[in-house]
Amino acid sequence: MKILVAIKQVPDTESRIKVAADGRSLDPVDVKWITSPYDEYALEEAIRIKEGKGAEVVAISVGGDTTKEVLKNALALGADSAVLLRGDGQGDAFAVAQMIAAYAKDKGFDLILCGNMGLGGDNSAMGPMLAELLGVGQANVVVKLELGEGTFKAEREIEVGSEIVEGSLPAVITAQKGLNEPRYASLKGIMAAKKKTIEELEGTPVVAGALVSTLALPPERPAGRRLEGEPAAQAQALIQALKDEAKVF
Amino acid sequence: MILVFCELKDGQLRKPSAEALSEGRRLADASGKKLGAIFAGASCAGSAEAAKYGADVILCAESPTLASYSSDAFAGLLADAVTAKGATVLLAAATSVGKDVTPRTAARLGAGYASDVTALSMVEGKLVAVRPVYAGKAFATTSFASPVQVATTRPNVFPAAEKAGAGAAEALAAPAGGFKAVVKEILAKASGKVDLSEANVIVSGGRGMKDGANFKILEELADALGGVVGASRAAVDAGWGLPHSMQVGQTGKVVSPTLYIACGISGAIQHIAGMSGSKFIVAINKDSEAPIFKLANYGIVGDLFEVVPELTKAAKALGIGSN
Ligand SMILES: Cc1cc2nc3c(=O)[nH]c(=O)nc-3n(C[C@H](O)[C@H](O)[C@H](O)COP(=O)(O)OP(=O)(O)OC[C@H]3O[C@@H](n4cnc5c(N)ncnc54)[C@H](O)[C@@H]3O)c2cc1C
Ligand SMILES: Nc1ncnc2c1ncn2[C@@H]1O[C@H](COP(=O)(O)O)[C@@H](O)[C@H]1O
């Protein structure tokens, strides 16, 4: 079987967020770039399927030169090959979906694994958009995946617990924490990855969807109030303040 | 027309859908458009309630083929309705189903999509959305290049405001079947309580709770305040038997309650990512330097095992949560 894993390079959550001079993008100065954590679950799942029943695993990312880092990492972890689609991978999820769909269309992938959300952009959109553009089924926020002969069974997280989605392959599955425990790259894997090359292609032209027009920092939260005294007095004062000042009740 | 995909639960309009409809009504009024509500399922009984929140038309696809949720079936149906009605805006609440179906529908319509938005407006006849990004450390104002604009609204952010609409019922054709993926079974693990993302009051515990059994004191406080209990990832991962559905944060749920009480939670950025949208934040922590205090409207430096039971007592004394 052939598996495509979509990997997004994102700013580490600990990075300080500064708005660039254009007023609508992230100033990359202080940013440390990482693989979006959910994509690590997606890749791990692909590698486990490869180790289990055998599969060819292709990692793909839309981005620029720095994005090669996440693909090198994917190769070190066990992806067989990697593709960089040159284009803006940070903005419009619809644009990314179109580029990946154009690449994947005639390549016979049986399974496409994504993260359920790219950290930072927090869209949770690329996977289902890709599923639609490829005309295949989907299951999002998946914590358990079983593959049959041309079918899948996925447990996905919902508000009250989880639900079982069944469907046919090919399909797009987006990973959630809990799907597996991602491994670390082994020295052997890192050495082997050095010998593999990343295929570089220009992303196909796309129709624009949603675009960020302004990026702004949130307003400062007003300074809080400390409640003093013994626990009983603190508790009294808090409940009273929530009632009278905050009018929560 | 502005269309809002709505969900029913036990024959009643879900609260996040009522909120999305109310916002849809406001946008429709601001731009001189009509508001339509769309329902799909084995039964649409209860859909008439959409008129209370301003729906001019209520579109129902009612069929046994729609008894179980299918992303491709629902996306096809929504996209067809948007096209048939010439709608330019499609909204849904950012629920499990909403977040699953709307991006797929947007792609089908060749439309841009803004997820989990916290503010919406109409500018020159087009939707403009504001949404938190970078774990809530910034807000992105998003505009659309596409003729149709699709967005999901974050639960508990937009007020559900009653405003009567005509609510003319109209049937939509339902797909026959042959779907690519279908829900077969719902494994409900949580109790009958309100889901975290819809809760008005959340009492959350972190590593400072020391043990899962100690969450009982949080349950008692939550009961007294009419709320539900959440947890940090450290607490969920500690092997205390807490389900992941309780986790608040970047890899858990994003919540926007009126009141969030963090007990024994330090305030790591990944936790804050899930709760910084709360209207009032209370922190109870024995470390006066804990970062959570930077965010808290009210802070109590102290031992949660002493403070929390006192809070429950004080809340009960005032009769809070019983109304
Ligand atoms: C990719 C990634 C994703 C993550 N996603 C999430 C997420 O979704 N949600 C999340 O919460 N975290 C998440 N984290 C983890 C996060 O970084 C923190 O490790 C976690 O939030 C810490 O939980 P905590 O505050 O309960 O524990 P700690 O940081 O250990 O804090 C415990 C606090 O309890 C206080 N305390 C102890 N005893 C008492 C007492 N008796 N009375 C009062 N106070 C007491 C201590 O002073 C301390 O401040 C993520 C991390 C990563 C890397
Ligand atoms: N630029 C990108 N390159 C490759 N995959 C991406 C890219 N953007 C998003 N994805 C995939 O889509 C998932 C959801 O991303 P998003 O819709 O941006 O939250 C991610 O977890 C990735 O698997």
Side-chain angles (χ1 to χ4, degrees):
Chain A
M1 95 180 289
K2 245 180 117 174
I3 306 175
L4 184 67
V5 185
I7 295 177
K8 183 173 186 177
Q9 190 180 40
V10 300
D12 186 286
T13 313
E14 310 280 350
S15 300
R16 200 155 68 91
I17 298 303
K18 267 202 294 192
V19 179
D22 66 5
R24 57 189 167 78
S25 61
L26 180 66
D27 184 339
V29 243
D30 295 335
V31 174
K32 184 181 156 217
W33 295 94
I34 58 166
T35 296
S36 187
Y38 299 104
D39 303 359
E40 295 179 350
Y41 302 119
L43 179 63
E44 176 66 31
E45 196 65 13
I47 297 167
R48 287 188 189 196
I49 295 168
K50 172 178 157 178
E51 289 167 347
K53 51 171 73 177
E56 180 196 340
V57 177
V58 181
I60 193 165
S61 193
V62 177
D65 281 329
T66 57
T67 310
K68 285 185 197 162
E69 281 308 311
V70 297
L71 291 172
K72 270 188 210 150
N73 184 48
L75 289 170
L77 284 165
D80 296 294
S81 58
V83 179
L84 174 70
L85 292 183
R86 290 193 172 274
D88 179 10
Q90 293 299 315
D92 188 9
F94 186 43
V96 173
Q98 290 171 74
M99 285 187 257
I100 297 182
Y103 169 81
K105 204 172 49 179
D106 304 316
K107 302 225 166 37
F109 288 105
D110 304 287
L111 181 64
I112 295 153
L113 285 159
C114 304
N116 85 75
M117 184 176 94
L119 283 198
D122 294 358
N123 299 306
S124 293
M126 207 300 285
M129 286 180 151
L130 180 60
E132 175 61 32
L133 295 177
L134 293 173
V136 304
Q138 72 187 50
N140 282 310
V141 204
V142 168
V143 293
K144 198 169 167 203
L145 178 65
E146 283 168 33
L147 299 180
E149 284 304 315
T151 59
F152 74 86
K153 183 173 171 186
E155 180 177 341
R156 84 178 201 101
E157 232 174 55
I158 55 171
E159 281 105 346
V160 292
S162 60
E163 65 188 14
I164 305 290
V165 183
E166 287 181 21
S168 50
L169 295 178
V172 172
I173 304 289
T174 74
Q176 165 69 328
K177 179 196 169 210
L179 181 61
N180 51 44
E181 267 312 317
R183 71 194 66 194
Y184 293 98
S186 64
L187 192 59
K188 193 167 151 249
I190 295 169
M191 296 314 286
K194 290 213 166 102
K195 295 198 197 86
K196 299 180 192 166
T197 51
I198 296 170
E199 187 183 359
E200 291 182 43
L201 301 166
E202 282 306 312
T204 49
V206 295
V207 178
L211 304 160
V212 174
S213 47
T214 340
L215 187 67
L217 301 184
E220 292 271 334
R221 278 187 91 96
R225 202 179 113 195
R226 294 274 165 106
L227 302 164
E228 309 292 346
E230 290 298 304
Q234 289 174 312
Q236 274 291 340
L238 175 62
I239 296 291
Q240 207 63 52
L242 289 172
K243 192 164 189 280
D244 300 342
E245 297 169 18
K247 304 201 184 336
V248 171
F249 309 114
Chain B
M1 179 176 277
I2 291 178
L3 282 177
V4 181
F5 169 61
C6 297
E7 294 170 69
L8 295 165
K9 192 181 173 195
D10 305 326
Q12 285 191 318
L13 187 67
R14 283 189 65 182
K15 184 169 159 255
S17 297
E19 294 165 5
L21 267 177
S22 301
E23 183 61 12
R25 181 71 264 168
R26 210 182 56 75
L27 297 171
D29 287 342
S31 55
K33 291 182 159 73
K34 288 232 181 287
L35 179 69
I38 309 188
F39 293 84
S43 162
C44 291
S47 60
E49 204 182 333
K52 264 195 357 205
Y53 299 97
D56 297 306
V57 257
I58 300 175
L59 307 165
C60 289
E62 207 172 23
S63 158
T65 57
L66 299 171
S68 295
Y69 170 68
S70 157
S71 42
D72 44 303
F74 277 50
L77 190 133
L78 292 181
D80 287 352
V82 166
T83 309
K85 290 287 160 193
T88 50
V89 174
L90 174 68
L91 302 179
T95 59
S96 294
V97 167
K99 286 193 282 193
D100 196 69
V101 74
T102 26
R104 186 168 184 127
T105 312
R108 200 174 173 94
L109 291 163
Y113 167 64
S115 64
D116 219 13
V117 307
T118 54
L120 287 169
S121 56
M122 295 296 279
V123 177
E124 290 164 5
K126 273 194 148 176
L127 193 67
V128 173
V130 178
R131 46 188 305 272
V133 289
Y134 304 115
K137 284 190 276 189
F139 281 84
T141 302
T142 303
S143 39
F144 294 81
S146 50
V148 177
Q149 303 109 53
V150 183
T152 46
T153 54
R154 180 174 282 193
N156 253 345
V157 170
F158 299 91
E162 292 197 14
K163 185 171 189 217
E170 207 177 295
L172 286 180
F179 308 142
K180 297 184 175 84
V182 178
V183 171
K184 290 289 177 187
E185 193 186 344
I186 294 184
L187 313 169
K189 287 198 211 102
S191 57
K193 294 218 169 122
V194 188
D195 172 57
L196 278 179
S197 56
E198 291 176 37
N200 221 4
V201 175
I202 296 174
V203 181
S204 269
R207 208 194 308 265
M209 295 303 296
K210 308 262 183 327
D211 187 14
N214 295 333
F215 271 68
K216 192 157 188 307
I217 64 171
L218 303 187
E219 293 281 353
E220 286 161 0
L221 177 58
D223 282 345
L225 298 173
V228 294
V229 176
S232 74
R233 170 154 162 186
V236 170
D237 284 356
W240 297 344
L242 305 172
H244 183 243
S245 59
M246 277 177 80
Q247 183 178 318
V248 173
Q250 194 169 59
T251 31
K253 290 198 167 134
V254 175
V255 298
S256 317
T258 308
L259 174 60
Y260 188 90
I261 306 183
C263 308
I265 293 177
S266 61
I269 180 67
Q270 295 92 349
H271 188 77
I272 289 173
M275 45 67 78
S276 63
S278 307
K279 283 177 204 82
F280 289 93
I281 296 171
V282 172
I284 305 170
N285 199 304
K286 64 179 183 190
D287 173 9
S288 65
E289 302 291 315
I292 188 79
F293 284 119
K294 287 206 201 77
L295 211 70
N297 303 80
Y298 299 102
I300 294 183
V301 179
D303 185 345
L304 71 93
F305 294 105
E306 292 174 18
V307 176
V308 170
E310 291 294 341
L311 277 174
T312 309
K313 251 196 260 170
K316 279 191 180 150
L318 274 182
I320 288 160
S322 53
N323 50 3

